[in-house]
Amino acid sequence: MATDEEINRFVNDNRELVERMMAVQKENAEMAKAIGKDVIKLGFESTYIAADFARRKSEEFFVKTYKMITNPEVQRHFMASGLEFLAGLTALAENAPMPSFMREAAVGVQKNARAAACTVNENCPAKAKRIQASAEETPAEEAPSEEVSTVEIRSEPEPAKAESAQ
């Protein structure tokens, strides 16, 4: 092991070499510091870019999903399937071994659900549509009398249309 005296003598004899070595170390440290700042800056920039990209993609996905769910055709199918499901539950309740008051309550739930669904949807498949025909609108040979008759038509969704849309 070298003593302090030997180290001092080496430094005095090789002062220029030691100073150059220290200058190189200082330059390397400054360069590493600058590179580190650049790396951190690039890291922040890429994070901002990635966050902005993710935000735009998320908004795009949300808009597409919202449009898909609120599409009137999709809503029409979901309403029809929901009403069919309620009809199935009602049929199940009507045939289940239970007291009549419970059976009547189940039928009432279905009627109320259909009424509520059809209140806001003018094209509701469960809604009965009334057509009025009078003798004035019918040709003379077909008109039996002057009184107005009412015909009730139930419009149910057609399975062929639902399958062809898919």
Side-chain angles (χ1 to χ4, degrees), residues 6-166:
E6 292 172 338
I7 293 174
N8 284 337
R9 191 172 352 126
F10 176 80
V11 170
N12 288 335
D13 292 344
N14 299 300
R15 184 171 279 299
E16 281 184 35
L17 178 63
V18 171
E19 285 176 355
R20 275 190 286 158
M21 287 173 50
M22 290 176 67
V24 168
Q25 289 299 320
K26 185 177 179 182
E27 286 176 21
N28 287 343
E30 288 173 358
M31 197 178 342
K33 181 180 175 183
I35 290 172
K37 283 183 179 180
D38 289 344
V39 167
I40 289 172
K41 183 180 175 184
L42 290 173
F44 278 122
E45 288 175 1
S46 64
T47 301
Y48 289 134
I49 291 169
D52 186 54
F53 178 77
R55 179 192 54 79
R56 283 186 281 118
K57 285 296 185 182
S58 296
E59 287 175 358
E60 181 182 314
F61 175 76
F62 177 79
V63 167
K64 285 181 180 179
T65 302
Y66 180 78
K67 285 181 180 179
M68 175 186 69
I69 291 171
T70 58
N71 180 310
E73 186 67 20
V74 171
Q75 290 293 311
R76 203 171 4 266
H77 286 291
F78 280 137
M79 285 302 299
S81 66
L83 293 173
E84 284 299 317
F85 180 72
L86 282 173
L89 289 178
T90 302
L92 183 67
E94 288 174 355
N95 293 310
M98 65 173 76
S100 61
F101 72 91
M102 288 180 71
R103 190 171 291 115
E104 290 169 7
V107 171
V109 167
Q110 183 202 12
K111 286 180 183 176
N112 291 339
R114 282 184 181 271
C118 290
T119 300
V120 296
N121 182 0
E122 64 185 44
N123 298 321
C124 180
K127 188 182 283 186
K129 295 181 181 174
R130 299 203 177 267
I131 299 174
Q132 290 190 353
S134 65
E136 296 168 4
E137 297 171 355
T138 311
E141 67 266 8
E142 294 179 21
S145 67
E146 288 293 320
E147 61 188 59
V148 175
S149 60
T150 303
V151 178
E152 186 174 312
I153 300 174
R154 292 243 179 231
S155 63
E156 296 292 326
E158 298 177 3
K161 283 185 182 177
E163 290 172 5
S164 65
Q166 296 173 0

